[in-house]
Amino acid sequence: MEAGIMRRLLVAANWKMNGDMSSNAALLAAFKAGFNGSADTAIFPPAVYIPQLADSLKGSAIAYGVQNIHFEEKGAFTGETNLAMAQDFGCQYILVGHSERRELFGETNAIVAKKVVAVLAAGLIPMLCIGETLEQREAGVTEQICKEQIDAVLTQVGIKAFEKIVIAYEPVWAIGTGKTASPEQAQDVHSFIRQLLAAEDAAVAAKTRILYGGSVKASSAQALFGQPDIDGGLVGGASLMAEEFVAICNAAQG
Ligand code: PEP
């Protein structure tokens, strides 16, 4: 890391399509009680539960946001949520380009880039997910895939915008599979991503938070977060278990 630049760690929870009013309330209560504030944190619940989080997290340092957004302002887009709606309920972060959105809902790099543009224009923080599939890793094209995914956004928003973007590197083969990338495997890709940004602007690269995601657990968090280019985590399955998620957040010293 560049001398004098400290990136505060960020740990985010992706609840995906899980939870209900009572299980959410229990999770939030346990999280508020156990979280020691040593990192920034954000929760991405299903969109219909955003008002519940807005209410429960009022006055706390815990941020929240939606798992997906439409880039248009309004109109005939059945089933979609726009940025003004997310802002109405105090969302600060917006998850963009999660691999499940890319794989199951056909989100291309171009669509993901449009969403990042819209989130930035609204003054919110995009958490941009990138990462390779197992097939791509085995074919030796991990770096190429990550570069393509970053470039699609970079060409639309420019390098300065990356001061406001959080990147989540999530190898698709590690998401929901129980297979965490080793700290060294993750660090290698994080370092590559930071170098990509540094080639455009070293000062911006030194500030950009790059999170790791993919089966993070309390037992693996500390070693991952201890890597020089890993600035926290995006956590799926383990974020639905209060004790586990509290331990992951509290493992982030910084
Ligand atoms: C995710 O959904 O972003 C994720 C990383 O999930 P999991 O932690 O379950 O692998």
Side-chain angles (χ1 to χ4, degrees):
M1 200 185 301
E2 231 176 69
I5 297 207
M6 283 297 291
R7 294 181 295 270
R8 185 164 158 81
L9 297 189
L10 168 61
V11 182
N14 176 12
W15 287 358
K16 310 196 188 196
M17 198 174 71
N18 293 295
D20 55 38
M21 288 288 272
S22 71
S23 66
N24 296 348
L27 257 183
L28 291 166
F31 186 44
K32 283 192 285 185
F35 175 51
N36 69 11
S38 62
D40 288 339
T41 185
I43 301 176
F44 297 101
V48 292
Y49 293 119
I50 288 287
Q52 185 184 15
L53 270 76
D55 190 40
S56 166
L57 299 177
K58 204 174 283 166
S60 90
I62 301 165
Y64 53 87
V66 287
Q67 300 169 9
N68 179 42
I69 204 77
H70 200 286
F71 49 80
E72 293 289 353
E73 274 179 28
K74 61 179 176 179
F77 301 102
T78 301
E80 295 290 324
T81 304
N82 71 22
L83 279 150
M85 294 167 187
Q87 282 177 306
D88 256 354
F89 288 92
C91 291
Q92 292 178 38
Y93 291 86
I94 309 286
L95 206 56
V96 181
H98 190 280
S99 67
E100 287 150 19
R101 300 289 323 164
R102 292 177 188 261
E103 273 189 18
L104 305 173
F105 300 98
E107 286 193 14
T108 60
N109 279 341
I111 292 172
V112 169
K114 279 184 158 187
K115 292 185 176 197
V116 172
V117 170
V119 175
L120 290 170
L124 302 187
I125 305 169
M127 189 174 288
L128 168 65
C129 302
I130 64 165
E132 82 287 0
T133 62
L134 182 59
E135 219 174 33
Q136 290 164 337
R137 175 160 282 260
E138 287 174 350
V141 294
T142 296
E143 293 187 352
Q144 183 193 318
I145 294 298
C146 291
K147 181 171 174 1
E148 284 169 10
Q149 292 173 336
I150 298 259
D151 279 351
V153 173
L154 190 56
T155 53
Q156 297 305 309
V157 301
I159 186 64
K160 289 280 183 221
F162 276 78
E163 283 188 1
K164 300 193 191 101
I165 295 172
V166 174
I167 297 173
Y169 167 60
E170 302 204 293
V172 179
W173 49 271
I175 297 180
T177 59
K179 279 188 218 156
T180 316
S182 70
E184 296 72 26
Q185 271 176 323
Q187 166 58 24
D188 281 352
V189 182
H190 281 234
S191 157
F192 169 75
I193 295 166
R194 202 174 304 285
Q195 282 166 38
L196 269 184
L197 301 179
E200 304 285 325
D201 187 322
V204 171
K207 284 186 206 152
T208 306
R209 291 195 281 195
I210 308 175
L211 314 188
Y212 167 79
S215 297
V216 175
K217 302 177 200 71
S219 57
S220 57
Q222 209 156 17
L224 285 162
F225 301 164
Q227 297 297 312
D229 289 298
I230 300 184
D231 307 313
L234 177 55
V235 185
S239 73
L240 297 168
M241 294 174 270
E243 249 180 65
E244 194 63 20
F245 189 60
V246 166
I248 294 169
C249 290
N250 292 348
Q253 306 289 330

